[in-house]
Amino acid sequence: MKSPLVIYWSRRDFRLADNPALLAALLHSKKENIPFLPIFILEDYMTEGNPIHQFGLPSRWFLSRALPDFASQFKDFVIYKGKAVVTLKAIAEHVDVTVYVNDDVYVDFYTQVEKLQAAGITVHVSEDALSVPKDTRSQEGKLYSVFTPFKKNVWVKFVSTKVQKKAEVTDVLTLTRAERQLLPKEVVATTEALEVEFRKSRLLQAGKHIIDLDTLTAAPEFQDWYISEAEALERFKGYLQSGDLDGYRKNRDSLELDAVGAGKTSKMSLALAWGLVSSRTLVSLIQRHFEESFDNPFSSRVSEGALTYISELIWREFYRYQLFHHPELMDTEFQERFRGTIAWVEDKTAEARFIAWIKGETGYPVVDAAMKQIAETGWMHNRSRMVVASILTKNLGVDWRWGQEYFRAALIDLDEASNNGGWQWGASVGADPKPIRIFNPELQAKNYDASGAYQKRWLESDKNFSLLAPSVPIVEHKTAREEALKRYGLSKEEPRDY
Ligand SMILES: Cc1cc2nc3c(=O)[nH]c(=O)nc-3n(C[C@H](O)[C@H](O)[C@H](O)COP(=O)(O)OP(=O)(O)OC[C@H]3O[C@@H](n4cnc5c(N)ncnc54)[C@H](O)[C@@H]3O)c2cc1C
């Protein structure tokens, strides 16, 4: 008879606090005195830099630091390499495995779970990816497709979801060295060892083109972005102490503030995307800071900034909810009327424009500044993300899927659901599309970077750059707007110029 083993299968949840699968695994192991083994499985798509299964250089860079950091907190933590199902089945040949794992919003994850269960492995899936029920429906029993009614429905649930305690991971029974040696080969949990596993290439697939980012932009500097669970929590507490959250509603769109480092947004996206903190924990810290439950979103008594911040966290839930229910969204428009109907510019023009956009050479200064920001740091302000998505799709007429792929390859805070939702929103083809917006880059710069600080910050290295005499855009906005109307089949009245 095989001896029992409890496995916590870590995926994108590198935290000890409020980690439901980890807590459940520990409880089982301690209650029944069964050895506990936390693991991560390094799958081929993560290491190989294949543009088809995009796992960008920023993700590879971050993982090679976050994994050893997370692993070091456990008595034993094992990294395996290979396909998840194959690896877990190989372990199950030697021990009687029970797997605990947090849920996800991808179909692939559920397929993996089914395959494991079919092989006789017990798998417990904990709810974590969303803090509100995945099956949230309207009174008519329908799934939501518009944000505001979804938010109204889930608000109270979202602010009242309980945060689970921090896991105690050292006082546990572990496998003996001899028992571990029977299991598949381990990868050493150090950054150096992991970096050997990861390819350094930066390839990207856009339509039928394979684009090598190394030929377009210098390798980015990610150093400032590295953060552990403890640091992420400290950073957020500092954000609350600074009072910046109070001004969040007013300031969150300001590119000027972003440029001068005064922040005003929390920069928690990386920590949330990699599961270093849960959104539940952020909400509970906000509640503690303001000594307020925030269960009434219409109350005028409470901090407007905090209400807006919670609302943004619910956008994140909304996009996860959409991707969970509509996995086809990764490459299909939410809006049926736009499926296969938009006449994107012909291929050669699209390729040239896409490359100019990546390099920050569109001639629209605010767009070029934003594209330099992402190329140099792996991160971009939300206002800029909206602007560059609208300009690529509307002004330059390039398919939103290409933009989505570039962000997948370039973002350090990549969250597939938010990225997909953001791109579909930017292209006005997604859930909650109204009004259809055509961003005017000059107007955007005037409204959100009036002093030009953001544009100067990112374009100053270009000797020819002058805000007073910017270069000529590759497509002049007025013409671009008219072309976009035709491309989308819209009447002149329908879209608003933003
Ligand atoms: C085209 C496009 C692509 C995007 N891709 C991503 C992505 O890959 N990963 C990602 O985390 N966010 C993405 N966003 C959303 C948003 O731009 C970032 O979450 C935000 O800029 C992160 O900065 P912050 O942490 O300072 O945000 P804050 O303003 O401090 O917001 C706090 C948190 O709320 C969530 N949030 C804020 N705005 C949004 C939003 N519009 N949609 C969903 N969640 C939001 C994020 O988790 C964020 O960290 C994208 C938006 C667009 C328009």
Side-chain angles (χ1 to χ4, degrees):
M1 203 170 106
K2 290 187 265 185
S3 56
L5 175 68
V6 169
I7 283 187
Y8 157 60
W9 176 19
S10 171
R11 296 171 85 252
R12 267 193 177 231
D13 44 12
F14 299 134
R15 62 177 190 275
L16 300 185
D18 194 35
N19 185 331
L22 174 59
L23 274 183
L26 284 165
L27 189 71
H28 182 170
S29 151
K30 286 179 185 172
K31 202 166 153 206
E32 299 192 19
N33 225 16
I34 297 174
F36 167 72
L37 186 67
I39 67 165
F40 184 90
I41 304 168
L42 208 53
E43 302 212 41
D44 294 346
Y45 79 90
M46 297 176 186
T47 56
E48 66 194 3
N50 185 333
I52 295 167
H53 311 286
Q54 188 56 258
F55 193 79
L57 185 69
S59 300
R60 283 170 260 151
W61 182 90
F62 187 79
L63 197 54
S64 63
R65 277 145 189 88
L67 253 180
D69 236 14
F70 185 55
S72 69
Q73 300 178 87
F74 294 81
K75 217 162 143 190
D76 278 339
F77 186 105
V78 176
I79 303 173
Y80 294 114
K81 190 164 183 261
K83 290 198 184 332
V85 174
V86 176
T87 307
L88 285 162
K89 279 195 200 163
I91 296 174
E93 280 175 19
H94 303 278
V95 275
D96 181 10
V97 175
T98 305
V99 176
Y100 287 83
V101 62
N102 286 317
D103 65 349
D104 213 326
V105 292
Y106 309 114
V107 191
D108 290 2
F109 169 73
Y110 294 95
T111 311
Q112 284 177 327
V113 171
E114 272 169 26
K115 284 186 183 161
L116 292 172
Q117 286 168 337
I121 299 174
T122 308
V123 186
H124 297 283
V125 180
S126 303
E127 304 253 327
D128 181 53
L130 271 90
S131 301
V132 299
K134 286 201 208 70
D135 199 37
T136 295
R137 284 172 189 264
S138 68
Q139 276 180 346
E140 296 77 46
K142 291 198 174 135
L143 290 171
Y144 285 97
S145 60
V146 179
F147 176 68
T148 306
F150 172 81
K151 179 171 83 169
K152 277 193 189 144
N153 181 320
V154 301
W155 183 282
V156 174
K157 285 186 210 108
F158 187 64
V159 295
S160 47
T161 311
K162 293 278 165 289
V163 174
Q164 302 200 32
K165 64 174 194 238
K166 186 174 171 186
E168 287 290 339
V169 292
T170 44
D171 177 24
V172 283
L173 188 64
T174 52
L175 291 177
T176 62
R177 186 178 281 267
E179 284 168 326
R180 258 172 73 175
Q181 272 168 357
L182 294 173
L183 306 183
K185 192 167 166 257
E186 302 177 7
V187 177
V188 181
T190 62
T191 298
E192 297 69 35
L194 287 167
E195 282 195 326
V196 172
E197 302 289 341
F198 289 117
R199 287 247 178 93
K200 297 279 184 301
S201 57
R202 293 195 295 148
L203 299 176
L204 157 72
Q205 175 150 23
K208 59 180 171 43
H209 307 278
I210 299 289
I211 295 173
D212 184 353
L213 292 178
D214 281 336
T215 63
L216 304 183
T217 58
E221 278 299 330
F222 302 125
Q223 228 60 34
D224 290 348
W225 282 106
Y226 187 71
I227 198 171
S228 65
E229 174 182 6
E231 286 161 346
L233 288 170
E234 279 315 303
R235 188 181 289 184
F236 192 66
K237 286 179 192 160
Y239 184 65
L240 293 172
Q241 296 292 330
S242 72
D244 281 347
L245 189 60
D246 277 314
Y248 181 77
R249 174 175 287 179
K250 190 159 66 70
N251 297 329
R252 62 181 285 267
D253 270 319
S254 171
L255 295 176
E256 286 164 293
L257 287 175
D258 182 57
V260 297
K264 306 299 171 193
T265 69
S266 67
K267 304 243 163 90
M268 291 308 291
S269 50
L270 173 138
L272 285 163
W274 287 95
L276 303 175
V277 293
S278 69
S279 60
R280 300 176 289 274
T281 299
L282 297 190
V283 172
S284 82
L285 290 171
I286 294 172
Q287 289 167 328
R288 208 177 305 158
H289 177 79
F290 288 100
E291 297 180 354
E292 167 64 55
S293 69
F294 291 99
D295 57 6
N296 178 5
F298 305 106
S299 168
S300 54
R301 250 179 349 99
V302 298
S303 159
E304 276 194 343
L307 285 176
T308 307
Y309 192 89
I310 294 170
S311 178
E312 290 307 317
L313 289 175
I314 299 179
W315 268 107
R316 178 173 175 271
E317 300 278 316
F318 180 65
Y319 286 142
R320 289 175 165 226
Y321 168 85
Q322 294 302 347
L323 195 58
F324 174 75
H325 289 290
H326 309 288
E328 72 282 1
L329 288 180
M330 281 303 285
D331 60 10
T332 307
E333 291 79 2
F334 187 97
Q335 298 293 317
E336 265 182 58
R337 73 163 166 155
F338 291 131
R339 288 188 200 153
T341 61
I342 303 174
W344 306 111
V345 290
E346 62 81 28
D347 202 53
K348 271 261 156 268
T349 312
E351 189 192 11
R353 289 182 179 181
F354 185 55
I355 286 175
W357 177 82
I358 291 175
K359 290 169 84 176
E361 293 176 359
T362 65
Y364 300 116
V366 73
V367 173
D368 294 343
M371 297 309 293
K372 299 274 186 206
Q373 183 178 31
I374 190 174
E376 288 176 30
T377 68
W379 188 87
M380 191 194 279
H381 191 277
N382 180 59
R383 171 60 39 187
S384 308
R385 294 188 207 206
M386 295 196 292
V387 173
V388 304
S390 177
I391 298 301
L392 182 73
T393 52
K394 315 274 177 44
N395 289 41
L396 305 183
V398 176
D399 194 328
W400 62 270
R401 282 159 279 249
W402 294 28
Q404 174 179 255
E405 285 308 298
Y406 176 63
F407 272 28
R408 291 179 81 205
L411 280 176
I412 189 101
D413 66 359
L414 177 69
D415 174 313
E416 295 282 12
S418 294
N419 192 41
N420 175 260
W423 272 98
Q424 295 230 15
W425 187 94
S428 302
V429 298
D432 205 347
K434 294 232 161 133
I436 289 190
R437 295 172 168 90
I438 294 192
F439 278 57
N440 177 333
E442 261 182 54
L443 204 59
Q444 289 292 317
K446 201 168 129 218
N447 290 343
Y448 302 107
D449 188 30
S451 69
Y454 179 80
Q455 293 161 84
K456 283 188 208 133
R457 161 76 182 84
W458 295 106
L459 298 175
E460 67 193 351
S461 57
D462 176 356
K463 300 269 176 303
N464 301 321
F465 171 70
S466 154
L467 261 187
L468 297 174
S471 43
V472 182
I474 50 179
V475 191
E476 188 268 324
H477 180 66
K478 197 159 167 282
T479 320
R481 188 179 196 285
E482 277 157 22
E483 283 173 8
L485 294 184
K486 280 194 225 130
R487 203 172 293 124
Y488 274 69
L490 300 172
S491 70
K492 272 200 162 52
E493 290 71 40
E494 193 166 2
R496 283 206 226 148
D497 213 0
Y498 261 60

